[in-house]
Amino acid sequence: MSGSVVLLCVLAIGIVAFLLGRLRANALAGPKLSNLHSRPVYYGGFVAIWATLPALLLLAFWSITAPSVIQSSVRGSFPAEVLAAPQAEQNLEFGMITSIARGMKLLSPADAETLAGDAATVRTLLSAKGVPLAGDPKPYMLPAADELNRLTDRSNWLMTGAAVLAALGGLVYALRAIQPKLRARNRVERVVLGALLGASSIAILTTIGIVASMLGEATHFFSMVPAHEFFFGTVWDPRFAAAGSGGSEGQFGLIPLLAGTLYIGFVAMLFAVPIGLFSAIYMAEYASPRVRAFAKPLLEILAGIPTIVYGFFALTTVGPFLRDISAQISGLVTGDYANFIQAQSVITAGFVMGIMLIPYVSSLSDDIITAVPRALRDGSLGLGATRSETVKRVILPAALPGIVGALLMTASRAVGETMIVVLAAGVAARMQLNPFEPMTTVTVKIVNQLTGDLEFTSPQTLVAFALGITLFALTLCLNIYALYIVRKYREQYE
Amino acid sequence: MTDITSADPMVLTAAPPRREIGIKRRYAAERRFRLYGILAISFGVIFLLLLLWSVVSKGYTAFLQTEITVPVTFTEKVIDPQNTRATNPAVLMAANYPVLARDALAKELGVDPADRAALKEVNSMISASVRVQLRDIVVNDPSVIGKTVPVKVLAEGNVDAAYKGHIDLSVPESDRKISDRQLGWIQQLAAKGELASRFNTGLFVNGASSRPEAAGVGVALIGSFFMMLIVLALALPIGVAASIYLEEFAPKNRLTDLIEVNINNLAAVPSIVYGLLGLAVFINFAGLPRSASLVGGLVLTLMTLPTIIIATRAALKAVPPSIRAAALGLGASKMQTIFHHVLPLAMPGILTGTIIGLAHALGETAPLLLIGMVAFVADFPATPLQPSTALPVQIYMWANEAERAFVERTSGAIIILLLFLLAMNIGAVILRRRFERRW
Amino acid sequence: MNMLTETAVEKVLERKMTNSALKMSGTDVCVFYGEKQALHNVNLNIRENTVTALIGPSGCGKSTFLRTLNRMNDTIDSCRVTGKILLDTDDIYDPNIDVVELRARVGMVFQKPNPFPKSIYENIAYGPRIHGLARTRAEFDEIVESSLQRAGLWNEVKDRLQEPGTGLSGGQQQRLCIARAVAVSPEVILMDEPCSALDPIATAKVEELIHELRANFTIVIVTHSMQQAARVSQRTAMFHMGYLVEENDTDKMFTNPDDQRTQDYIMGRFG
């Protein structure tokens, strides 16, 4: 019986439990509902929780622990020469056994008879059923697979039995516990509260998941490539090694990627900051309500457009346009119509990313500028300052910390942006300063290393996690610092 | 009321000489500053329009598809020369169907069947997808063999482009993807009404294909739909539950602070990091299948949660304390107060935030690339566990294709994506306008 | 300025008042916020080197009138002003009159002290700097010192001119704002309840300051407090429900007002 069927069983029992609980509560109450401490639904809920919660916990615990218990039991019966092999190899062997076991379940009894034959027929037989094997199975594997299937079956039956028993037991216990004085509502609410707390701790779990998973894979990587070569290496050349050749000979220097990331981010900010800031100032200080109501949503549309669309825009419109215009310019100046701007370049990616960031800069700064108290504005205007003098000399200095925070947040977006640079920045990991040449970024390389066939043992794949944790740490620092600044700023005016 | 006129005997005297305070210069600076603001906003708006125009002008033709109607004769000699189909049905699967279409079109155009060069050019006017199309006709109804049936076949990508006027005819014939003779045929067929543009339903229902004219976003739409369903089913309840806890119950302690800081930071984590998380945890650790929309949905759920939580908390905060006080004063428990009164009142705000979160998730590409949704999927997924792709990922894959016709498809797919986003955002705005309450 | 003895000040004022002309004069001033009319046909003269107090219950339009005098109402989108307000002989709502120039001549001090988040020095130097009233460092130093002297703040802050103005106490902040207004050398200073956020001791100091400033400036002050109006002003105007009810010498107003409503208000019947 599969896990989902058991789950449905338990839930069905839960529904029955709810109905029974409510029925019993009504019966106990007699003509006057106020005899009960809580309304009947809460008694129903109380019984349903008793019926389902322990059973579900049991199910979860069982399905997490059982496979590893079974695995260690099966592995315990490996032949001695296999047990002597290194851990990684044993893992591969066990992987094959699980494949065989999966295949054996698909076979008809007649086929299963012939399975006892030699290894090669097993392989052809299984691949005919859609279960390809990586190599010829060794003789000991067939009984092991059989054992694995047997144990899994037994475990499943036991689990089903235990879960259903637990559900029924909980139901009976809770039904007997129902009395008019029972504070069913309080108990149900306590469980709900627990569920709410559980939901909010998912945020923490996600963070732990991110850090743990990436740190885990990255440590793997650093065991193959020394950390200082990664963090201080100036050459990125991972050499896609063929599977199994175990090539850790590639060079994994972070510096060129980081340089590209920061350079493109810088160019993007160069476009986004003045435009975004001036838009925000205009909206906050000059625009009439009508202009504001019209222009603000228009700019916000820019924030709602998916980044893949920006990437496509850069790839098919901005890049070719810059390339052609540069060819024209050099033609006019030197007579030689050679383009000096590449279609994929720092300037293309930076410019388009800059457009994408305009709404972030403008809406964050707008919030911060409007948070400057009116009294300061009036004070300056009352002295005879013009609007622009007030903005430049009073409002911007007063809002400066907040704006710096906003810009840091925007910068972290620029650093983490992926699709625009994947399509518009190029893949060449180079260290150079010409903005018209392609460069590449951390995010581009994460995508490059992880699309296509994956092998979770090669440094070529695992380096993506090292890049990821670097990116995560970088954006996290920027954000925490930015949030800190912005919070300080808000406190100043509250 | 009576007006009081000041009974003052004194009079106003002329103003003292003006002080020079640089009015002219300062107003010039003022105008310049204002102009910068206007320029900045216009710049943003112009680029928005430019972007939309560039997508729409490239992509609107993707919604039309050129088709050629030809009377195809299902010759037995070509399909099943040995007449073995009764015993070996595989014959029907492997027959040389494109020849049928080619011959039919050649006959229609009056091309000499012996002119091999001309036949080749005729053949290259029909999409390669004709093989599957004719095969399906025959397999579904073998009695059609020997008969002549009019069939609408897709024109090849270059013919499609030429008919829509995308091909620059001033280029010398040898550098063009389409010959003068083929152009002549196109006109000939168009004049007879046998070649025409129709609404391109294939764009919406087909799966991946290496031929641009047969490629569609059907599989991607299903995949995106599954993912949105999963995000909605998981992120909304979890997000609301988490917000209720944080806003209404959480004690002021270290744990609460930690959760708050966490949520704020998660909202700013680059989306690609969620892809790495999904790859490491859901695929590598939990063993879920790659390319499955279930994994995509889970990753997008984690990514959307902070957005929904932040929106929901704002909505809960906006419900005035007097409502809470009223319910508590009647003897309702805190839980009852929240679920019976506060939550329903906050619902429009919560839903608005959820829709906006969903719209972001729908357009998100980067994390999906890492969990293997960059896949050539031609078959429709029946469950979220089967391989599929997503709308933005399909756009990414097409954007990387070299062929000119794929640019049109890509833009078409982007238009579809933007229309979905537009619809969602309009929905959110309507929701806000209709149900927004001012306390 | 504070070198002058009390009697000297009185003498100067005596002379000035006798041959003083009008500084400002409003004729049929009406103010609308959107559809709502906040002021109805106000006619009020403001004499040179005189403290004119505007009193009345809250919402009577006294602050609104004050703000029309240097067009601070312009910063509110829906606000519209009709009628005529003269400064000397210039109509300040004339399209040819520049609002920046006007505000350089008619300065303003607000209800809540609003020093800029800059140093004390920069707070004072701000006005002269934007108007180009000083060029060299020495000129700025002089303006800052004399303005702080006039505001009676010099001795308290002379050692910490570079510290932020927001670090001063409430009363000091308000005197800093007055010094800031004085530094521009306006002709008229408008004060919108300048003491309402201050404690009694700080209030006394500001009142003393107003008294001294009168020698050089024309002052219009909105106040909630009857006693304050009696202490600092020579002329008083009473507003009620958007109408100017009575305008008179302060002494007369507080002893023998012409209007029944003024009497009621001063006696504390409403307000």
Side-chain angles (χ1 to χ4, degrees):
Chain A
M1 216 189 265
S2 74
S4 50
V5 178
V6 187
L7 203 66
L8 282 180
C9 272
V10 170
L11 291 183
I13 293 176
I15 293 171
V16 172
F18 176 81
L19 297 174
L20 285 178
R22 202 174 57 176
L23 221 62
R24 180 156 163 77
N26 273 326
L28 276 178
K32 256 180 82 185
L33 261 188
S34 57
N35 284 339
L36 293 172
H37 169 270
S38 315
R39 285 164 58 210
V41 275
Y42 285 104
Y43 290 92
F46 170 71
V47 181
I49 287 170
W50 263 105
T52 52
L53 203 56
L56 289 180
L57 287 178
L58 184 83
L59 269 180
F61 180 74
W62 199 296
S63 24
I64 290 170
T65 52
S68 61
V69 170
I70 293 172
Q71 183 176 353
S72 68
S73 147
V74 170
R75 280 178 158 209
S77 59
F78 275 8
E81 75 268 20
V82 180
L83 284 176
Q87 197 61 36
E89 208 164 298
Q90 284 193 34
N91 286 344
L92 282 181
E93 304 254 305
F94 185 76
M96 191 179 279
I97 290 172
T98 48
S99 300
I100 297 173
R102 193 150 44 93
M104 278 162 73
K105 276 195 245 171
L106 300 172
L107 296 177
S108 60
D111 286 340
E113 286 300 310
T114 57
L115 200 64
D118 69 316
T121 46
V122 171
R123 195 171 172 193
T124 45
L125 211 61
L126 289 184
S127 64
K129 292 286 174 190
V131 185
L133 296 183
D136 279 343
K138 294 177 189 164
Y140 81 91
M141 285 184 175
L142 288 179
D146 214 27
E147 173 76 1
L148 178 64
N149 272 346
R150 209 173 49 76
L151 285 179
T152 312
D153 270 358
R154 193 198 289 167
S155 148
N156 278 347
W157 278 113
L158 281 177
M159 177 176 81
T160 309
V164 170
L165 268 184
L168 292 176
L171 189 154
V172 170
Y173 168 78
L175 268 186
R176 290 167 59 106
I178 290 185
Q179 285 166 10
K181 284 215 175 98
L182 179 79
R183 301 173 151 214
R185 201 198 67 231
N186 305 33
R187 295 188 182 211
V188 171
E189 286 184 353
R190 217 175 307 151
V191 174
V192 173
L193 187 60
L196 296 184
L197 176 61
S200 57
S201 55
I202 284 192
I204 291 186
L205 283 183
T206 309
T207 308
I208 294 176
I210 289 176
V211 173
S213 68
M214 291 208 296
L215 266 186
E217 307 289 351
T219 358
H220 231 110
F221 170 72
F222 288 128
S223 69
M224 290 182 260
V225 177
H228 63 90
E229 278 183 23
F230 173 72
F231 285 112
F232 302 109
T234 53
V235 179
W236 173 267
D237 180 19
R239 301 215 189 127
F240 263 102
S245 77
S248 61
E249 58 215 62
Q251 284 181 281
F252 301 91
L254 172 70
I255 302 287
L257 308 186
L258 211 53
T261 305
L262 296 180
Y263 196 3
I264 291 173
F266 173 74
V267 172
M269 296 296 277
L270 222 51
F271 285 107
V273 171
I275 293 172
L277 211 50
F278 268 110
S279 305
I281 290 170
Y282 189 84
M283 301 272 200
E285 300 291 329
Y286 289 99
S288 66
R290 268 180 50 208
V291 172
R292 206 177 147 90
F294 166 78
K296 211 172 150 74
L298 266 186
L299 281 189
E300 273 164 12
I301 292 180
L302 280 177
I305 292 179
T307 56
I308 175 76
V309 179
Y310 283 101
F312 178 75
F313 180 59
L315 183 72
T316 59
T317 307
V318 177
F321 174 77
L322 289 176
R323 184 192 60 208
D324 296 346
I325 201 115
S326 77
Q328 291 298 326
I329 290 172
S330 79
L332 284 178
V333 175
T334 64
D336 172 21
Y337 284 86
N339 59 307
F340 59 87
I341 303 183
Q342 309 287 321
Q344 287 193 325
S345 65
V346 170
I347 187 98
T348 310
F351 175 70
V352 175
M353 199 193 282
I355 296 176
M356 183 202 90
L357 294 178
I358 290 174
Y360 290 101
V361 178
S362 73
S363 72
L364 286 173
S365 319
D366 192 358
D367 289 350
I368 285 167
I369 289 172
T370 39
V372 174
R374 203 191 157 80
L376 285 185
R377 262 181 207 91
D378 284 354
S380 174
L381 293 174
L383 287 172
T386 63
R387 281 255 177 213
S388 63
E389 284 161 352
T390 305
V391 170
K392 277 187 278 191
R393 290 167 190 261
V394 175
I395 293 175
L396 284 187
L400 194 64
I403 289 177
V404 169
L407 295 186
L408 285 180
M409 283 186 204
T410 316
S412 100
R413 279 214 177 256
V415 168
E417 171 48 40
T418 310
M419 293 323 292
I420 295 177
V421 282
V422 163
L423 288 173
V427 291
R430 301 192 298 167
M431 294 239 274
Q432 49 98 40
L433 284 175
N434 184 352
F436 304 138
E437 294 284 325
M439 271 174 101
T440 198
T441 70
V442 174
T443 47
V444 171
K445 286 301 164 195
I446 294 178
V447 171
N448 280 354
Q449 299 306 107
L450 288 184
T451 40
D453 286 331
L454 299 188
E455 206 192 350
F456 264 93
T457 49
S458 73
Q460 279 79 4
T461 302
L462 292 176
V463 68
F465 291 94
L467 291 175
I469 194 102
T470 313
L471 186 68
F472 181 71
L474 195 63
T475 50
L476 191 70
C477 291
L478 277 175
N479 274 305
I480 289 184
Y481 187 54
L483 279 177
Y484 169 78
I485 294 182
V486 170
R487 191 173 289 183
K488 272 261 145 62
Y489 167 76
R490 293 210 181 283
E491 277 166 7
Q492 184 191 336
Y493 290 121
E494 266 165 14
Chain B
M1 298 245 172
T2 50
D3 294 344
I4 303 264
T5 311
S6 189
D8 216 304
M10 285 169 282
V11 286
L12 293 157
T13 52
R18 295 268 172 90
R19 279 184 298 173
E20 174 53 52
I21 54 171
I23 284 293
K24 256 197 174 147
R25 179 181 48 77
R26 288 165 64 191
Y27 269 101
E30 173 78 12
R31 275 193 299 274
R32 267 201 308 280
F33 194 74
R34 217 184 145 100
L35 186 69
Y36 295 150
I38 294 175
L39 283 181
I41 291 182
S42 331
F43 184 89
V45 172
I46 285 172
F47 266 92
L48 172 67
L49 298 179
L50 203 63
L51 191 152
L52 294 179
W53 178 80
S54 119
V55 168
V56 171
S57 68
K58 285 197 183 85
Y60 74 97
T61 49
F63 294 95
L64 294 176
Q65 172 67 47
T66 312
E67 287 176 337
I68 306 174
T69 316
V70 281
V72 177
T73 310
F74 291 91
T75 330
E76 188 169 17
K77 230 196 301 179
V78 174
I79 300 172
D80 186 11
Q82 273 97 43
N83 200 7
T84 54
R85 61 178 177 271
T87 52
N88 183 8
V91 174
L92 294 185
M93 298 298 288
N96 189 2
Y97 293 106
V99 169
L100 295 176
R102 181 195 71 187
D103 290 348
L105 186 57
K107 196 167 145 210
E108 195 67 23
L109 291 166
V111 172
D112 177 11
D115 185 350
R116 299 199 68 84
L119 278 186
K120 207 174 160 214
E121 280 190 39
V122 170
N123 194 36
S124 71
M125 289 183 68
I126 302 171
S127 166
S129 68
V130 77
R131 178 189 295 274
V132 179
Q133 191 187 358
L134 295 187
R135 185 190 74 195
D136 289 351
I137 293 178
V138 173
V139 170
N140 286 339
D141 178 18
S143 70
V144 82
I145 293 175
K147 292 181 196 154
T148 301
V149 183
V151 179
K152 276 183 195 161
V153 299
L154 294 178
E156 211 272 338
N158 290 317
V159 174
D160 186 43
Y163 187 64
K164 287 170 182 168
H166 289 332
I167 288 184
D168 184 3
L169 296 179
S170 63
V171 175
E173 190 182 356
S174 56
D175 295 350
R176 238 189 275 144
K177 292 247 172 83
I178 196 153
S179 70
D180 287 342
R181 182 151 59 166
Q182 287 173 319
L183 287 173
W185 289 338
I186 291 174
Q187 279 167 9
Q188 194 184 331
L189 289 171
K192 279 197 272 178
E194 286 167 355
L195 181 146
S197 280
R198 289 191 182 74
F199 182 72
N200 189 358
T201 43
L203 180 63
F204 295 91
V205 298
N206 290 350
S209 168
S210 58
R211 303 302 318 149
E213 64 273 6
V217 294
V219 172
L221 282 180
I222 300 285
S224 281
F225 175 72
F226 277 145
M227 282 189 250
M228 290 305 107
L229 223 54
I230 292 168
V231 174
L232 190 63
L234 290 179
L236 182 59
I238 296 178
V240 170
S243 316
I244 289 178
Y245 179 77
L246 291 175
E247 203 55 49
E248 309 282 348
F249 291 101
K252 274 260 162 266
N253 61 20
R254 299 277 293 276
L255 179 69
T256 311
D257 273 356
L258 190 68
I259 294 177
E260 300 229 5
V261 170
N262 246 304
I263 289 172
N264 281 332
N265 282 318
L266 282 179
V269 168
S271 60
I272 194 165
V273 170
Y274 286 97
L276 287 171
L277 171 76
L279 180 60
V281 172
F282 296 131
I283 293 179
N284 201 23
F285 179 73
L288 293 172
R290 283 188 91 205
S291 310
S293 38
L294 174 67
V295 180
L298 290 176
V299 169
L300 293 180
T301 299
L302 292 183
M303 209 190 79
T304 317
L305 258 182
T307 317
I308 294 185
I309 291 180
I310 290 169
T312 305
R313 291 187 65 181
L316 289 175
K317 230 179 240 159
V319 177
S322 58
I323 302 278
R324 289 180 182 81
L328 290 173
L330 289 172
S333 74
K334 193 160 182 188
M335 201 68 86
Q336 286 171 323
T337 305
I338 288 157
F339 281 95
H340 296 172
H341 300 282
V342 179
L343 199 56
L345 289 174
M347 221 49 200
I350 295 173
L351 290 181
T352 310
T354 307
I355 292 177
I356 288 170
L358 276 183
H360 269 177
L362 180 61
E364 194 54 70
T365 324
L368 302 183
L369 299 183
L370 302 193
I371 54 166
M373 305 215 62
V374 198
F376 188 90
V377 186
D379 299 324
F380 280 79
T383 70
L385 279 168
Q386 285 169 349
S388 83
T389 172
L391 197 46
V393 179
Q394 188 71 64
I395 292 170
Y396 168 71
M397 288 193 279
W398 283 351
N400 281 325
E401 296 276 353
E403 273 184 81
R404 172 69 180 79
F406 268 116
V407 173
E408 184 193 61
R409 294 275 145 165
T410 316
S411 307
I414 290 178
I415 295 176
I416 296 175
L417 176 62
L418 290 182
L419 286 179
F420 272 114
L421 295 182
L422 187 70
M424 290 168 97
N425 279 297
I426 288 178
V429 170
I430 290 176
L431 207 62
R432 188 157 37 192
R433 290 263 163 86
R434 260 202 77 183
F435 295 102
E436 191 177 49
R437 244 176 260 250
R438 295 217 175 272
W439 305 98
Chain C
M1 180 45 46
N2 53 356
M3 302 291 157
L4 289 173
T5 59
E6 186 74 4
T7 45
V9 172
E10 291 299 331
K11 244 182 202 163
V12 170
L13 295 178
E14 202 64 37
R15 197 185 56 213
K16 281 204 171 169
M17 265 184 83
T18 44
N19 46 7
S20 77
L22 290 183
K23 188 64 193 169
M24 299 188 81
S25 125
T27 314
D28 284 335
V29 178
C30 301
V31 178
F32 302 84
Y33 291 115
E35 293 297 298
K36 199 176 149 273
Q37 187 165 2
L39 274 187
H40 302 260
N41 302 77
V42 172
N43 293 292
L44 180 64
N45 289 330
I46 290 154
R47 301 183 192 187
E48 200 163 11
N49 294 97
T50 305
V51 177
T52 308
L54 310 182
I55 61 168
S58 16
C60 65
K62 56 193 191 297
S63 282
T64 301
F65 180 74
L66 188 78
R67 292 171 79 93
T68 61
L69 295 181
N70 74 341
R71 292 178 54 178
M72 280 306 281
N73 283 330
D74 289 13
T75 61
I76 300 162
D77 284 322
S78 61
C79 182
R80 195 159 53 82
V81 178
T82 64
K84 199 175 193 180
I85 299 177
L86 298 179
L87 170 62
D88 295 329
T89 49
D90 301 328
D91 180 355
I92 66 170
Y93 281 90
D94 188 284
N96 292 323
I97 286 290
D98 184 80
V99 66
V100 164
E101 207 170 355
L102 168 70
R103 288 178 193 155
R105 292 170 65 189
V106 183
M108 187 151 186
V109 174
F110 296 85
Q111 184 169 4
K112 252 178 72 186
N114 54 354
F116 302 133
K118 304 174 172 219
S119 68
I120 293 170
Y121 185 96
E122 280 304 316
N123 262 288
I124 308 290
Y126 177 78
R129 201 185 295 274
I130 56 171
H131 295 309
L133 301 181
R135 295 264 179 271
T136 64
R137 176 82 195 179
E139 284 174 342
F140 276 114
D141 286 350
E142 197 196 314
I143 291 183
V144 169
E145 182 175 345
S146 66
S147 307
L148 285 171
Q149 292 269 20
R150 285 187 186 183
L153 200 59
W154 175 247
N155 288 328
E156 291 162 61
V157 302
K158 68 180 171 204
D159 298 327
R160 43 178 179 144
L161 290 177
Q162 296 310 322
E163 283 173 32
T166 43
L168 298 173
S169 73
Q172 287 173 323
Q173 284 189 13
Q174 192 62 298
R175 280 183 288 149
L176 177 68
C177 291
I178 294 174
R180 190 173 69 185
V182 165
V184 184
S185 321
E187 298 154 33
V188 183
I189 298 178
L190 310 177
M191 297 187 179
D192 191 356
E193 302 193 32
C195 300
S196 66
L198 305 183
D199 61 67
I201 294 171
T203 302
K205 282 201 167 150
V206 172
E207 284 179 7
E208 198 178 321
L209 174 61
I210 294 170
H211 195 63
E212 284 168 9
L213 289 174
R214 188 187 140 210
N216 294 59
F217 305 97
T218 304
I219 293 170
V220 185
I221 178 170
V222 165
T223 175
H224 233 80
S225 143
M226 234 52 58
Q227 292 80 355
Q228 185 171 60
R231 283 195 298 265
V232 301
S233 73
Q234 290 76 50
R235 299 280 295 176
T236 298
M238 157 82 186
F239 284 75
H240 185 235
M241 311 274 285
Y243 292 88
L244 175 63
V245 174
E246 181 176 354
E247 190 226 355
N248 227 325
D249 279 341
T250 301
D251 293 344
K252 170 127 194 330
M253 194 84 151
F254 281 90
T255 49
N256 185 19
D258 294 336
D259 193 281
Q260 176 65 36
R261 286 164 297 179
T262 315
Q263 204 161 24
D264 287 351
Y265 183 61
I266 287 167
M267 297 304 166
R269 299 264 173 83
F270 60 84

